[in-house]
Amino acid sequence: PLPLDAPQEAAVRAVKAGESLVVQGPPGTGKSQLIANLMADAAAEGKRVLLVCQKRAALDVVYERLRSVGLAPFMALIHDFQSDRKRLYEQLAGQIDQLDTYRQQNNSIDTVLLDREFAAECRRIDRITAELQAFRTALFDTSACGMSVK
């Protein structure tokens, strides 16, 4: 749900392909954005995710990014279980009360159409990517005359 640059997209694709990875980098390089996207993707697939950070600020940044795209009802931010317990239980009760609403939203005709449009757009992107890759391969092909066109 959040914008990705090329290395972040490669990391998401690797994780979705079942690979494990370690992401390192200085502040401001998009690690929190990547984590938020990975968590949102896992949640969309019905998976549960636990994020544990050494620093509270890191948790807050990821939480805020996910909250900004409407995922707050599906998250629980816990810094101290003793003091956050009441809020956590209230949030869980609210989620249970909203189950029928969530199911109805996910089964609506709009959701089905959006899924179809998304799948069609993904196929179009894959097709264009393959065409561009073919152009790239042709540009650097030396088999015809010993030199590339480039």
Side-chain angles (χ1 to χ4, degrees):
L2 300 163
L4 293 170
D5 61 16
Q8 290 170 331
E9 184 179 351
V12 169
R13 288 182 184 266
V15 170
K16 289 183 73 65
E19 297 176 32
S20 297
L21 54 95
V22 174
V23 179
Q24 293 179 317
T29 55
K31 297 179 299 294
S32 297
Q33 190 99 344
L34 173 63
I35 291 167
N37 276 315
L38 288 169
M39 291 179 73
D41 184 67
E45 292 178 3
K47 296 178 181 175
R48 294 183 185 117
V49 179
L50 173 64
L51 175 63
V52 179
C53 297
Q54 186 176 18
K55 297 180 182 177
R56 179 179 178 152
L59 280 176
D60 291 337
V61 168
V62 173
Y63 179 84
E64 185 55 36
R65 288 178 194 236
L66 291 170
R67 189 200 59 73
S68 73
V69 293
L71 291 175
F74 307 102
M75 299 184 300
L77 180 62
I78 301 172
H79 293 296
D80 177 12
F81 185 70
Q82 294 300 326
S83 63
D84 294 338
R85 183 181 302 204
K86 182 179 180 192
R87 188 171 36 101
L88 175 63
Y89 290 153
E90 288 170 353
Q91 183 177 356
L92 289 172
Q95 288 175 337
I96 291 169
D97 292 341
Q98 294 292 322
L99 277 177
D100 289 334
T101 305
Y102 294 139
R103 283 189 186 120
Q104 195 172 28
Q105 287 174 346
N106 287 335
N107 292 329
S108 72
I109 190 73
D110 290 340
T111 303
V112 173
L113 292 175
L114 279 175
D115 282 346
R116 287 182 184 163
E117 288 175 13
F118 181 77
E121 197 64 27
C122 287
R123 286 191 299 273
R124 187 176 79 79
I125 290 169
D126 288 343
R127 188 184 77 249
I128 291 171
T129 302
E131 289 174 11
L132 290 172
Q133 183 60 39
F135 285 127
R136 180 178 179 270
T137 301
L139 244 160
F140 293 96
D141 184 17
T142 59
S143 63
C145 59
M147 294 178 70
S148 71
V149 175
K150 184 174 185 290

